[in-house]
Amino acid sequence: MKHIIFAFILFATLFLTTGAFSQVPGLSVNGKLYDTNKNPVNAHGAGILYYNGVYYLFGEIKKGKTWRVPKQSWEDYRVPAGGISCYSSTDLRNWKYEGVALSPVKNDPKSDIDTGKVIERPKVIYNTKTKQFVMWVHVDAKDYSYSQAGVAVSKTPAGPYKYIGSVKPNGNMARDMTVFKDDDGKAYLIYSSEQNNTMQVCSLSDDYLHPTKTYKRLLINRRREAPALFKNRGKYYLVTSSCTGWSPNAATYAVATHVLGPYKEYGNPCTGPGANTTFQSQSTYVLPVGKNTYLFMADRWDKTDLEKSDYIWLPLKVNNGKVEIKNN
Ligand code: GAL
């Protein structure tokens, strides 16, 4: 009997481990991603919420003609802010379009979410106390001078989300951002700040609707953006890109034993051909999909035609504390 139990445990362990590992390559995306209606998925700078056995993908709707904002020293290409889309899936392969989760408003230049503004990098988490889904998003003026973190809420995961307003956390600029919910239910906003020179991580209030006074500066003067944070074996891993606008560059990662840091920087997690441009992409989210195995999600921007921007989803592994992303 003992032998049978042992064999069963061994089989189950092998099945679960290899199951998780073999599952990830099958999830890889290299280019277009289509929904169940065969339309291209329009969800850029995306993040994923896992709730009640369903994955919800939220991203920027990029639609319309791309134009370049005049008198900017950098290539500020833009489309009208299209709001935030939502797709759902139970297997991370088949994505059902759920509609527009956060609608922009028209002809209201005073509103943060007017189509003439910037609405980027949405991330959604669920608050078990308030039973609300909370979306944080980078809102900005078309020249990126506003630099605020916006928040919206919904009673249902796919929305529609109600926009509440935006803030500069503790008076600090907030551009590229992500949100991280820890195992203890506490949540954190991580954002490029201080003119993109330094990143910050700020603890959110219990209802997730406000930044608290607790925040730390990290990657000081390193000029990093596109943050994607995940946890592995009690450590926090932060993947970021360099600041080169819509053009790709090499990712790096940093590791901390507390979410607020300090973070120690390591090199590029990508290996193989194309590693120095993150395989022509920029990080947006890292989703846990198995033990030590994650899905690295990134955007392959088409800067002169943003609507045509594609996706790169690749397996990310943590081996002995070392992060590895391969394009194969
Ligand atoms: C990128 C950033 C994007 C977008 C873009 C504008 O570096 O990661 O989210 O803001 O700049 O050029």
Side-chain angles (χ1 to χ4, degrees):
M1 188 60 185
K2 265 191 192 153
H3 291 295
I4 296 171
I5 293 173
F6 176 74
F8 177 76
I9 291 172
L10 187 70
F11 173 77
T13 313
L14 278 174
F15 178 79
L16 286 175
T17 330
T18 48
F21 271 84
S22 57
Q23 192 192 10
V24 180
L27 296 177
S28 295
V29 173
N30 193 338
K32 285 258 172 302
L33 177 64
Y34 292 91
D35 68 14
T36 47
N37 288 328
K38 301 196 168 45
N39 293 318
V41 165
N42 195 342
H44 309 273
I48 287 187
L49 160 79
Y50 184 62
Y51 178 74
N52 268 356
V54 181
Y55 296 95
Y56 294 89
L57 173 76
F58 297 89
E60 303 156 18
I61 300 172
K62 296 251 183 270
K63 207 160 177 50
K65 200 170 153 37
T66 300
W67 54 286
R68 189 170 168 175
V69 179
K71 298 191 192 114
Q72 284 278 75
S73 56
W74 54 284
E75 292 182 303
D76 187 0
Y77 287 104
R78 301 254 296 100
V79 283
I84 304 304
S85 59
C86 180
Y87 296 81
S88 67
S89 174
T90 49
D91 58 8
L92 295 169
R93 289 176 174 81
N94 299 292
W95 291 98
K96 178 176 167 247
Y97 181 54
E98 295 281 351
V100 180
L102 178 69
S103 298
V105 299
K106 282 192 180 135
N107 305 319
D108 185 2
K110 284 207 182 106
S111 166
D112 286 351
I113 54 169
D114 181 79
T115 51
K117 304 284 179 72
V118 167
I119 310 174
E120 290 181 342
R121 298 187 174 269
K123 304 289 175 284
V124 175
I125 48 176
Y126 179 61
N127 190 301
T128 47
K129 285 184 198 141
T130 61
K131 302 203 173 359
Q132 284 198 120
F133 297 87
V134 180
M135 176 189 289
W136 280 91
V137 67
H138 166 207
V139 291
D140 225 316
K142 63 177 183 236
D143 62 357
Y144 287 82
S145 59
Y146 188 57
S147 313
Q148 302 223 139
V151 65
V153 290
S154 170
K155 285 275 172 213
T156 51
Y161 283 73
K162 185 177 175 302
Y163 187 70
I164 299 178
S166 70
V167 66
K168 277 195 167 61
N170 296 290
N172 294 304
M173 296 169 91
R175 287 192 183 142
D176 277 14
M177 66 168 61
T178 194
V179 169
F180 178 75
K181 182 176 165 182
D182 211 340
D183 306 325
D184 60 4
K186 285 207 167 74
Y188 301 83
L189 193 64
I190 299 100
Y191 46 95
S192 297
S193 194
E194 307 175 31
Q195 295 288 1
N196 284 3
N197 286 313
T198 293
M199 219 166 250
Q200 295 185 354
V201 53
C202 183
S203 155
L204 292 174
S205 54
D206 287 349
D207 58 9
Y208 303 163
L209 301 182
H210 309 278
T212 67
K213 291 202 169 90
T214 306
Y215 80 96
K216 294 279 181 214
R217 302 172 72 218
L218 49 128
L219 309 181
I220 295 169
N221 290 327
R222 302 295 291 153
R223 289 193 64 74
R224 309 299 300 174
E225 58 182 7
L229 185 77
F230 65 96
K231 192 175 185 180
N232 178 268
R233 295 177 193 264
K235 287 193 175 163
Y236 301 84
Y237 292 78
L238 179 63
V239 181
T240 59
S241 79
S242 179
C243 287
T244 52
W246 300 111
S247 305
N249 56 61
T252 60
Y253 72 101
V255 187
T257 48
H258 190 283
V259 63
L260 289 166
Y263 281 82
K264 184 171 172 349
E265 286 185 71
Y266 291 84
N268 189 346
C270 303
T271 56
N276 59 352
T277 60
T278 318
F279 316 113
Q280 299 262 343
S281 75
Q282 185 183 30
S283 44
T284 186
Y285 199 72
V286 174
L287 177 76
V289 286
K291 208 177 165 203
N292 295 327
T293 311
Y294 299 79
L295 190 63
F296 171 72
M297 299 167 60
D299 296 286
R300 181 171 284 168
W301 302 114
D302 183 335
K303 64 182 172 189
T304 56
D305 193 351
L306 285 164
E307 193 176 330
K308 292 222 176 90
S309 299
D310 283 341
Y311 311 95
I312 299 294
W313 291 6
L314 291 172
L316 176 155
K317 289 179 188 173
V318 185
N319 288 324
N320 297 320
K322 196 169 171 261
V323 180
E324 265 181 30
I325 307 170
K326 281 187 197 153
N327 188 14
N328 54 27

